[in-house]
């Protein structure tokens, strides 16, 4: 993923997988993962970026109709 710090990528990728599994019951697609990790990496406040990812998942139709 371009722009993402290589030292943070493995742990962020694992965390993102867990967030998707807990919220949607599936792993993120490669595109979803790339977009989320890039947004998190570029954020000034990573905690808020992770919150944004979670809110985005909770507001997806996929979550609303499956849970």
């Amino acid at each position: 993923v371009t722009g993402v710090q290589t030292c943070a990528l493995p742990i962020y990728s694992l965390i993102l997988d867990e967030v998707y599994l807990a919220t949607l019951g599936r792993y993120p697609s490669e595109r979803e993962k790339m977009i989320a990790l890039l947004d998190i990496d570029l954020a000034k406040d990573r905690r808020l970026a992770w919150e944004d990812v979670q809110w985005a998942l909770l507001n997806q139709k996929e979550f609303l109709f499956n849970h």
Side-chain angles (χ1 to χ4, degrees):
V1 177
T2 305
V4 177
Q5 298 172 359
T6 55
C7 61
L9 182 61
I11 190 68
Y12 286 177
S13 181
L14 292 174
I15 293 169
L16 188 63
D17 285 348
E18 291 297 320
V19 169
Y20 264 79
L21 284 171
T23 307
L24 300 178
R26 65 170 178 84
Y27 288 97
S29 69
E30 287 300 316
R31 182 174 186 274
E32 291 168 330
K33 186 175 275 195
M34 180 188 67
I35 291 168
L37 291 176
L38 187 58
D39 285 347
I40 291 164
D41 187 58
L42 296 176
K44 291 180 183 177
D45 185 336
R46 289 210 172 100
R47 186 183 67 86
L48 288 177
W50 280 106
E51 288 179 15
D52 289 345
V53 168
Q54 183 64 60
W55 277 113
L57 294 176
L58 291 172
N59 285 305
Q60 283 190 5
K61 289 181 182 178
E62 181 178 352
F63 176 79
L64 297 172
F65 290 115
N66 291 334
H67 300 284

